Amino acid sequence: MVQQPVLATDRLLLRPYTMADARAVQRLCGDYAVSAATLLPHPYPDGLAEIWIASLSEGAERGEAAAFAVTLARDGTLIGGTRLRIETDHARGELGFWIAKYCWGRGYATEAVRAVIEYGFSALGLHRIHAMHFSRNPASGRVMAKCGMVHEGRLRGHIQKWGIYEDVDIWGILSAQVGLTGTYTSPVLSGVPV
């Protein structure tokens, strides 16, 4: 079982989700712009946030996931989320993230993703972390590049979203690269499990 800590960055606290987050998750993920840039559904159905949060807890208990609610350190407001889907047999994790539309362009995604990559390598002992984004959403690619990830290629027509086959760009980073990139600042890992 992976017992997740709280990760603290300069402006954010990344903590495990609770059922109290369900309303905010539904509201923020229900934004058309957020859904259009991710695999999130639109409209975001009632009850889905609760089911999703419960599944994250189950995944963490099995050691298959580490998911964090991205909150502002100053007041605890939930502004997004990030998750590693863990494949222990291969010591790798697939990274996903989303940020509320009203917070786009402020560097929060980069700050959160850096913290989770560092957590994946230092605390979970992963060898590789990879992620993908719709090719038509270069902002997500910029976040990945700023976090030291390397663009590994494009998969044409890889995902179907709203009846349209989408190209996706694949990014990755290996644990051995962390010392070479110079892009990481270690997040503070709180010793208090949540």
Side-chain angles (χ1 to χ4, degrees), residues 34-192:
V34 173
S35 179
T38 65
L39 292 176
L40 294 168
H42 183 80
Y44 199 92
D46 289 343
L48 182 59
E50 290 85 354
I51 293 167
W52 180 69
I53 290 169
S55 76
L56 295 176
S57 298
E58 293 165 8
E61 287 174 11
R62 291 190 305 269
E64 297 171 354
F68 298 92
V70 177
T71 66
L72 297 176
R74 69 176 180 265
D75 62 10
T77 301
L78 187 134
I79 63 162
T82 185
R83 175 177 68 167
L84 283 172
R85 210 174 333 192
I86 301 164
E87 294 180 69
T88 54
D89 289 349
H90 302 287
R92 70 179 173 223
E94 181 179 6
L95 173 72
F97 63 93
W98 62 273
I99 295 291
K101 183 181 177 186
Y102 77 92
C103 291
W104 289 359
R106 299 182 189 182
Y108 292 135
T110 301
E111 202 168 316
V113 167
R114 277 187 182 143
V116 172
I117 288 172
E118 177 67 24
Y119 174 73
F121 289 143
S122 66
L124 300 180
L126 297 178
H127 167 69
R128 171 180 164 78
I129 294 174
H130 62 279
M132 65 178 146
H133 66 87
F134 292 138
S135 301
R136 63 176 165 75
N137 179 17
S140 286
R142 287 191 295 274
V143 167
M144 294 173 199
K146 288 177 190 175
C147 292
M149 299 181 88
V150 174
H151 186 257
E152 297 178 336
R154 177 169 289 172
L155 300 176
R156 295 175 301 133
H158 187 68
I159 291 177
Q160 189 179 56
K161 172 79 177 190
W162 297 335
I164 297 170
Y165 289 99
E166 297 274 359
D167 295 351
V168 295
D169 285 8
I170 305 295
W171 296 74
I173 187 168
L174 303 177
S175 59
Q177 290 177 271
V178 174
L180 301 175
T181 63
T183 60
Y184 290 95
T185 56
S186 295
V188 175
L189 301 178
S190 155
V192 181

Side-chain angles (χ1 to χ4, degrees), residues 26-39:
Q26 181 175 4
R27 180 175 45 82
L28 298 173
C29 291
D31 186 304
Y32 180 85
V34 173
S35 179
T38 65
L39 292 176

